[in-house]
């Protein structure tokens, strides 16, 4: 663990002043959002790409940059309403995440998607500030966004009779799900605009990780350590997401064992069955595993310890909980029993998964055999003299 000058730049929510690389994509997004500066824009934008390609960062950066150039009658900058879709419970949870940008205490229980979206759009219309909606991480297993997208595409239907739309409205969806693209194409009156991102190459991933580490430390970061992280990411997959997790563990120590506030379910890691967590970690240590393999692992572990395996419905609910917490990703492909095949990829690392249930009686050593070790070379990192800003590598 290293003393950090600017630890905030390691947060998953931190957005760089200017993204590294993706110059053509940045220019295209700027142009599309400029077209949407009128009340009737050019339709929703879908940003697609493999996990860890930087699509979420690019979308949130573009929305923030556009909001800075928006000026309404009140001379205030525009609003960005961003929600991580996969962390929400149902479409009403996504809509509630948007409304909480105006009312932090709002709870969605008892309200329909249409009612919540009416609240969002009417408050936005009273405020008369341009809004850019970012629906992030919309992939397999995320809620159906059809009704919500319909409200964003036809906001005038949710305003009081005779009241005209008084603000520009833009929608950016980030995800790599054919179902999400189909929902957007169904609801888009003026056509869906799609931006496909390729996976980060080795050189660009290294630049991103080095830049973030040097901002956090306000000083140099060893090239050898960057190469080791990149090599490990190439083996494990998930690009910048996994790279940043490794970098945070290296510089800050183990991740806290509390779920991120994603505007959805606020569950606890301690509510997860230790045997299921252990089964997921063991099955996925060497790469993606079929859901049937994870279930088989859990059943064998339970019987070995004299416990009952989880019922099928409980098992699936817990798998979805792990996915919503960002600890695993689930992919569904055609083929296999029932016409589809589900596989699970571990995002958090077996060592971290072991820590989640250590206080519930899970033997502390089980994660050690398959858990990846710390990135070597961390002892070479030194803190520079304090002075400045994370943009220019100085610390005050």
């Amino acid at each position: 663990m290293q003393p950090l000058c600017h630890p905030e730049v390691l947060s998953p929510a931190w957005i760089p002043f200017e993204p590294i690389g993706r110059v053509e994509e940045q220019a295209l997004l700027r142009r599309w959002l400029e077209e949407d500066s009128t009340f009737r824009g050019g339709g929703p934008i879908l940003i697609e790409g493999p996990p860890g390609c930087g699509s979420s960062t690019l979308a949130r950066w573009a929305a923030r940059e556009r909001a800075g150039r928006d000026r309404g009658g009140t001379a205030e900058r525009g609003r960005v309403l961003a929600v991580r879709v996969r962390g929400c419970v149902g479409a009403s949870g996504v809509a509630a995440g948007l409304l909480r940008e105006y009312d932090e205490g709002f709870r969605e229980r008892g309200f329909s998607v249409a009612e919540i979206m009416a609240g969002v759009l009417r408050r936005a219309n009273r405020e008369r500030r341009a809004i850019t909606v970012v629906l992030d991480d919309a992939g397999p297993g995320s809620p159906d966004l059809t009704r919500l997208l319909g409200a964003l595409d036809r906001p005038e239907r949710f305003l009081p009779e005779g009241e005209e739309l008084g603000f520009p409205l833009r929608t950016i969806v980030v995800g790599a799900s054919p179902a999400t693209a189909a929902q957007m194409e169904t609801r888009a009156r003026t056509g869906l605009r799609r931006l496909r991102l390729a996976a980060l190459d080795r050189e660009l991933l290294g630049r991103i990780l080095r830049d973030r580490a040097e901002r956090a430390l306000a000083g140099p970061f060893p090239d050898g350590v960057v190469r080791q992280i990149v090599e490990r990411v190439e083996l494990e997959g998930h690009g910048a997401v996994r790279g940043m997790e490794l970098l945070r563990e290296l510089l800050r120590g183990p991740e806290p064992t509390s779920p991120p506030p994603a505007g959805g379910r606020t569950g606890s890691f301690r509510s997860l069955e230790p045997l299921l967590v252990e089964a997921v970690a063991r099955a996925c240590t060497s790469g993606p595993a079929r859901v049937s393999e994870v279930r088989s692992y859990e059943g064998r572990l339970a019987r070995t310890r004299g416990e009952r395996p989880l019922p099928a419905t409980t098992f699936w609910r817990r798998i979805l909980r792990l996915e919503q917490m960002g600890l695993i990703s689930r992919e569904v492909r055609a083929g296999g029993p029932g016409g589809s095949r589900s596989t699970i990829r571990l995002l958090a690392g077996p060592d971290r998964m072991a820590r989640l249930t250590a206080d519930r009686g899970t033997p502390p050593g089980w994660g050690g055999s398959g858990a990846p070790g710390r990135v070597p070379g961390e002892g070479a990192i030194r803190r520079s003299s304090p002075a400045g800003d994370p943009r220019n590598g100085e610390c005050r």
Side-chain angles (χ1 to χ4, degrees):
M1 185 186 305
Q2 302 298 318
L4 302 178
C5 186
H6 296 287
E8 69 276 4
V9 305
L10 298 177
S11 167
W14 188 81
I15 305 298
F17 180 72
E18 194 77 20
I20 296 175
R22 308 290 192 195
V23 176
E24 294 181 1
E25 291 86 350
Q26 292 177 43
L28 180 59
L29 280 177
R30 275 198 185 103
R31 179 163 59 82
W32 281 347
L33 293 175
E34 185 64 36
E35 292 172 358
D36 294 350
S37 58
T38 59
F39 296 163
R40 290 295 176 199
I45 298 170
L46 174 62
I47 303 179
E48 304 171 287
C53 69
S55 54
S56 295
T57 297
L58 184 63
R60 291 176 182 253
W61 167 83
R64 186 188 66 184
E65 198 258 356
R66 177 66 253 183
R69 293 186 285 123
D70 279 325
R71 288 293 183 269
T74 60
E76 291 184 282
R77 58 176 286 143
R79 273 187 181 270
V80 176
L81 311 183
V83 177
R84 184 176 179 270
V85 171
R86 200 176 297 188
C88 297
V89 181
S92 61
V94 181
L98 299 176
L99 186 52
R100 275 191 283 271
E101 295 291 328
Y102 295 96
D103 181 359
E104 293 182 2
F106 176 75
R107 294 293 178 266
E108 64 267 31
R109 180 170 296 180
F111 293 94
S112 67
V113 174
E115 290 171 324
I116 299 172
M117 290 305 299
V120 173
L121 295 168
R122 290 178 180 183
R123 293 188 188 207
N125 209 42
R126 287 199 300 269
E127 198 176 62
R128 302 283 170 162
R129 289 167 62 184
I131 63 173
T132 303
V133 174
V134 179
L135 303 179
D136 197 2
D137 199 14
S142 62
D144 186 343
L145 302 176
T146 303
R147 289 181 294 170
L148 191 146
L149 291 169
L152 294 173
D153 192 57
R154 295 173 174 83
E156 66 280 355
R157 296 184 305 167
F158 295 84
L159 301 179
E161 186 176 359
E163 187 171 342
E164 296 182 356
L165 187 67
F167 65 98
L169 171 60
R170 314 174 186 89
T171 303
I172 303 175
V173 179
V174 182
S177 166
T180 301
Q183 293 166 21
M184 295 180 69
E185 287 176 338
T186 300
R187 289 296 180 176
R189 288 179 296 177
T190 54
L192 174 62
R193 294 170 293 181
R194 302 176 76 161
L195 175 59
R196 293 182 174 88
L197 302 181
L200 295 173
D201 59 35
R202 182 187 182 95
E203 188 270 338
L204 183 54
L205 177 58
R207 286 171 56 195
I208 292 172
L209 294 175
R210 182 182 296 105
D211 174 77
R212 200 69 69 90
E214 290 180 348
R215 289 174 186 268
L217 294 166
F221 190 74
D223 289 339
V225 180
V226 173
R227 285 195 299 270
Q228 290 163 5
I229 297 177
V230 171
E231 289 171 0
R232 187 161 158 189
V233 169
E234 288 180 335
L235 291 174
E236 299 180 7
H238 284 264
V241 173
R242 182 59 177 147
M244 285 305 304
E245 184 177 71
L246 292 171
L247 186 63
R248 282 193 294 270
E249 288 191 7
L250 176 63
L251 297 181
R252 294 196 316 199
E255 295 284 334
T257 56
S258 57
R265 181 174 299 173
T266 56
S268 169
F269 288 134
R270 297 182 181 182
S271 66
L272 296 170
E273 286 76 1
L275 292 183
L276 175 61
V277 176
E278 180 175 352
V280 170
R282 286 188 173 183
C284 301
T285 294
S286 59
R290 297 183 185 181
V291 173
S292 58
E293 294 178 57
V294 177
R295 185 157 171 72
S296 177
Y297 257 115
E298 193 274 334
R300 290 201 301 270
L301 289 169
R303 286 188 289 272
T304 299
R305 299 178 188 178
E307 301 180 21
R308 288 185 178 182
L310 291 176
T313 54
T314 303
F315 174 85
W316 274 108
R317 284 200 298 268
R318 299 301 183 265
I319 290 294
L320 292 175
R321 176 91 58 85
L322 288 170
E323 186 178 24
Q324 290 167 349
M325 290 175 173
L327 299 173
I328 65 171
S329 68
R330 187 166 53 92
E331 298 177 359
V332 182
R333 297 183 179 180
S340 64
R341 172 182 172 181
S342 294
T343 59
I344 291 175
R345 179 186 291 272
L346 187 62
L347 301 181
D351 52 348
R352 181 181 169 196
M353 297 286 279
R355 289 195 299 271
L356 299 182
T357 54
D359 59 339
R360 288 285 305 273
T362 302
W366 69 262
S369 58
R374 293 182 64 81
V375 178
E378 59 183 292
I381 303 173
R382 295 287 183 267
R383 185 188 185 194
S384 63
S385 57
D389 181 271
R391 293 185 193 172
N392 55 24
E394 297 179 352
C395 175
R396 293 191 181 96

